[in-house]
Amino acid sequence: MKKLLLLLLVSLLTAPVVVVDAQTTAPVPKAAAQKTVKPVEVYYFHYTRRCATCQAVEIETQKAIAALYPAQFKAGKIIFKSLNLDNATSKPFADKCKAEGQSLLIISGNKRIDLTDQAFMYANSKPEKLKAEIKNVIDKMM
């Protein structure tokens, strides 16, 4: 009888240690272990009627992204959207991005960089300078 009581007492004292140990060594789920990377979204907002510079901003931005980040663009880590502000379907995007008129915006998470001035200054005359500006911003966001 003493052996049975001693065995029961030892079992009760070691059981919580086993349970606590089992909880602390549980593996971390993969979803929690991996860092979630937000995509970099590049939006070009424009109107239906566009001048040569407005068109150049869109073309040069697309070319820059395709040349600088082909794999990330293909994988959806960098997204480019050209949106016509005259279309009602673009309104939710414009509101989300706080776009007021023609603009080139680069957004990732809560970071928002407005490259409108640089885009209109360099798209026609110095497209390589615009490409460098885009690269600088996107590299900081990735």
Side-chain angles (χ1 to χ4, degrees):
M1 184 74 174
K2 282 185 175 181
K3 286 184 180 180
L4 185 59
L5 283 172
L6 185 59
L7 184 61
L8 183 61
L9 182 61
V10 170
S11 316
L12 289 173
L13 291 174
T14 58
V17 172
V18 172
V19 171
V20 170
D21 187 48
Q23 290 176 352
T24 58
T25 60
V28 177
K30 284 185 179 179
Q34 296 175 349
K35 182 182 175 186
T36 304
V37 177
K38 296 189 185 276
V40 175
E41 301 168 291
V42 181
Y43 292 102
Y44 176 56
F45 292 96
H46 61 84
Y47 292 104
T48 302
R49 294 185 58 161
R50 302 195 296 172
C51 66
T53 303
C54 298
Q55 292 171 352
V57 169
E58 180 178 357
I59 291 166
E60 294 303 327
T61 301
Q62 282 180 311
K63 286 180 5 184
I65 292 169
L68 294 168
Y69 308 101
Q72 294 92 332
F73 184 69
K74 187 175 181 180
K77 293 179 182 176
I78 298 177
I79 299 164
F80 175 80
K81 290 185 181 178
S82 177
L83 300 161
N84 186 338
L85 291 167
D86 289 328
N87 294 340
T89 56
S90 299
K91 178 111 172 82
F93 288 104
D95 291 342
K96 172 190 159 195
C97 298
K98 299 175 187 157
E100 298 175 2
Q102 292 175 284
S103 44
L104 179 63
L105 305 174
I106 302 178
I107 300 171
S108 181
N110 61 356
K111 295 178 187 173
R112 176 187 177 274
I113 305 295
D114 186 341
L115 285 181
T116 306
D117 291 341
Q118 294 89 334
F120 280 88
M121 192 179 325
Y122 301 128
N124 271 333
S125 60
K126 299 178 184 174
E128 288 301 315
K129 181 91 170 154
L130 175 59
K131 183 178 178 180
E133 293 281 345
I134 292 169
K135 181 178 182 351
N136 183 37
V137 171
I138 291 177
D139 284 352
K140 287 179 183 176
M141 289 187 169
M142 293 185 86

